[in-house]
């Protein structure tokens, strides 16, 4: 497998989920469980792992059997302890921009996925790990989770969207503090800042909580869920009129069979059966 900058320069080849070596993937009852599986390196994201994420999310969009995604890290200690520093240490001025743009592009695939994506943060979520968690639609943390953007310790800044998403999520003052100091915060503080939706006592309970939320979401109209993703993301796209996006998306929902089913089911006092059409 080519690595590093050569790999970045290649056209993205299509691998299937089964080809993933750094990510364990298992589909159960429509939920795709992705486990970043480099435990000995605290699940640090190297180039190959990032490409696997790209390929998996391209497939998630096309695969009707997958209704939601949960991302977690292997083991109990780390979700993802950042981009792989051994690769970062090899960057130069020319390829560093490409490095950042590549990660940003892959994390945008997660953020724009029309199926719910939940990060179950089971330990360190640092640097690119915090950035990946923030690209997910929601974050459920175990009580030992630690969040941070410690890039300043390496003489760099977050490059996978962290300066933007952290600021949107927790506001400018606190985002500046975390990024400028490189400090880590615990799960409860992350929750109080709005970085985390729920804190659970351990990874197993966090997975249960994520599944509970997903079960509710997948019982709703899938097209509407996708429209919510687009409209919420529109808030953060400069120059996009989010109200217009909302009105357009609302109209698209009304064209769907699920709209007819949802409204008829209410009036007929029965449970709707949505088909995603
Ligand atoms: N990239 C590459 N390897 C990493 C890594 C990363 N981001 N984070 C951890 N590792 C590796 C360590 O080098 C070590 O590997 P080794 O056993 O081959 O030496 C292994 O994972 C375990 O990490 P270690 O530092 O021994 O664990 P610890 O419990 O003492 O400390 C952390 C845990 C998370 C505090 C520490 O690993 C750390 O600060 N990691 C870097 C975090 C960071 O700066 N992330 C942003 C990168 S842009």
């Amino acid at each position: 497998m080519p690595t590093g900058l050569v790999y970045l320069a290649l056209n993205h080849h299509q691998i299937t989920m089964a080809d993933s070596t750094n990510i364990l993937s298992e589909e159960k009852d429509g939920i795709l469980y992705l486990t970043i599986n480099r435990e000995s390196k605290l699940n640090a994201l190297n180039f190959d792992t990032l490409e696997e994420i790209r390929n998996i999310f391209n497939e998630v969009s096309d695969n009707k059997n997958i209704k939601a995604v949960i991302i977690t890290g292997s083991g109990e200690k780390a979700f993802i302890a950042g981009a792989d520093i051994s690769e970062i240490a090899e960057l130069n001025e020319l390829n560093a921009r490409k490095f950042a743009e590549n990660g940003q592009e892959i994390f945008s695939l997660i953020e724009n996925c029309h199926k719910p994506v939940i990060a179950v943060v089971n330990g360190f979520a640092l640097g690119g790990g915090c950035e990946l968690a923030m690209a997910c639609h929601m974050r459920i943390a175990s009580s030992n989770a630690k969040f941070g953007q410690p890039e300043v310790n390496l003489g760099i800044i977050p490059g996978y969207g962290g300066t933007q998403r952290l600021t949107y999520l927790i506001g400018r003052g606190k985002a500046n503090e975390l990024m400028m100091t490189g400090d880590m915060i615990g799960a409860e503080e992350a929750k109080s800042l709005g970085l985390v939706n729920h804190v659970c006592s351990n990874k197993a309970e966090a997975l249960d909580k994520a599944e509970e939320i997903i079960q509710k979401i997948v019982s709703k109209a899938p097209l509407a869920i996708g429209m919510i993703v687009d409209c919420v993301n529109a808030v953060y796209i400069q120059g996009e009129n989010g109200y217009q996006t909302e009105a357009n998306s609302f109209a698209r929902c009304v064209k769907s069979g699920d709209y007819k089913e949802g409204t008829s089911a209410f009036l007929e006092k029965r449970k709707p059966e949505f088909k995603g059409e």
Side-chain angles (χ1 to χ4, degrees):
M1 176 80 75
T3 54
L5 302 168
V6 182
Y7 196 18
L8 274 179
L10 287 176
N11 285 332
H12 308 123
H13 66 288
Q14 286 298 309
I15 59 170
T16 64
M17 288 181 200
D19 292 322
S20 291
T21 51
N22 298 301
I23 301 176
L24 302 176
S25 62
E26 187 194 0
E27 191 247 300
K28 220 170 71 193
D29 300 329
I31 302 177
L32 182 68
Y33 294 82
L34 299 178
T35 305
I36 311 297
N37 191 36
R38 300 186 73 223
E39 198 174 342
S40 66
K41 297 291 175 194
L42 304 187
N43 305 318
L45 291 178
N46 59 8
F47 295 128
D48 290 346
T49 310
L50 275 179
E51 284 309 305
E52 287 173 25
I53 293 173
R54 180 200 299 280
N55 290 323
I56 287 169
F57 272 88
N58 282 333
E59 195 168 330
V60 164
S61 296
D62 297 341
N63 188 330
K64 285 209 159 189
N65 296 325
I66 298 171
K67 309 216 177 305
V69 182
I70 291 177
I71 307 180
T72 191
S74 188
E76 299 290 335
K77 185 171 170 179
F79 173 65
I80 297 166
D84 192 313
I85 297 172
S86 66
E87 292 181 341
I88 288 181
E90 301 294 320
L91 292 174
N92 61 43
E93 198 182 336
L94 287 178
N95 57 36
R97 181 195 300 267
K98 188 149 188 153
F99 170 90
E101 287 172 349
N102 185 60
Q104 288 176 5
E105 189 180 294
I106 292 167
F107 287 7
S108 289
L109 288 176
I110 300 175
E111 187 170 62
N112 292 317
C113 181
H114 272 195
K115 301 167 185 184
V117 185
I118 299 187
V120 166
V121 180
N122 57 308
F124 291 112
L126 303 175
C130 188
E131 290 172 299
L132 188 145
M134 291 192 293
C136 296
H137 301 135
M138 294 167 220
R139 287 147 292 284
I140 314 290
S142 57
S143 57
N144 69 332
K146 292 245 181 295
F147 295 82
Q149 297 289 164
E151 287 87 349
V152 280
N153 297 328
L154 304 171
I156 51 174
I157 62 169
Y160 291 168
T163 59
Q164 306 302 294
R165 292 196 180 95
L166 189 63
T167 308
Y168 294 142
L169 276 165
I170 70 173
R172 196 156 87 166
K174 207 62 197 176
N176 273 329
E177 183 183 334
L178 283 187
M179 288 187 282
M180 289 180 183
T181 61
D183 281 351
M184 289 186 219
I185 55 169
E188 287 298 345
E189 186 175 357
K191 186 177 169 208
S192 72
L193 290 171
L195 186 54
V196 152
N197 294 54
H198 300 276
V199 178
C200 301
S201 50
N202 54 42
K203 182 177 176 180
E205 285 187 18
L207 281 165
D208 287 347
K209 185 71 190 172
E211 284 166 6
E212 179 193 319
I213 293 172
I214 283 172
Q215 290 314 333
K216 279 189 199 160
I217 296 172
V218 299
S219 72
K220 316 296 179 193
L223 291 173
I225 300 298
M227 296 297 121
I228 289 171
V229 169
D230 289 346
C231 293
V232 169
N233 290 345
V235 173
Y236 306 114
I237 301 172
Q238 267 204 351
E240 181 151 341
N241 181 336
Y243 290 99
Q244 197 62 57
T245 308
E246 182 182 278
N248 292 340
S249 303
F250 186 85
R252 283 178 66 191
C253 288
V254 167
K255 277 198 337 202
S256 71
D258 282 346
Y259 157 74
K260 290 196 177 56
E261 169 64 10
T263 47
S264 311
F266 178 83
L267 296 172
E268 291 160 17
K269 301 192 187 304
R270 62 176 173 83
K271 269 191 133 185
E273 279 184 38
F274 295 118
K275 295 197 170 80
E277 293 164 359

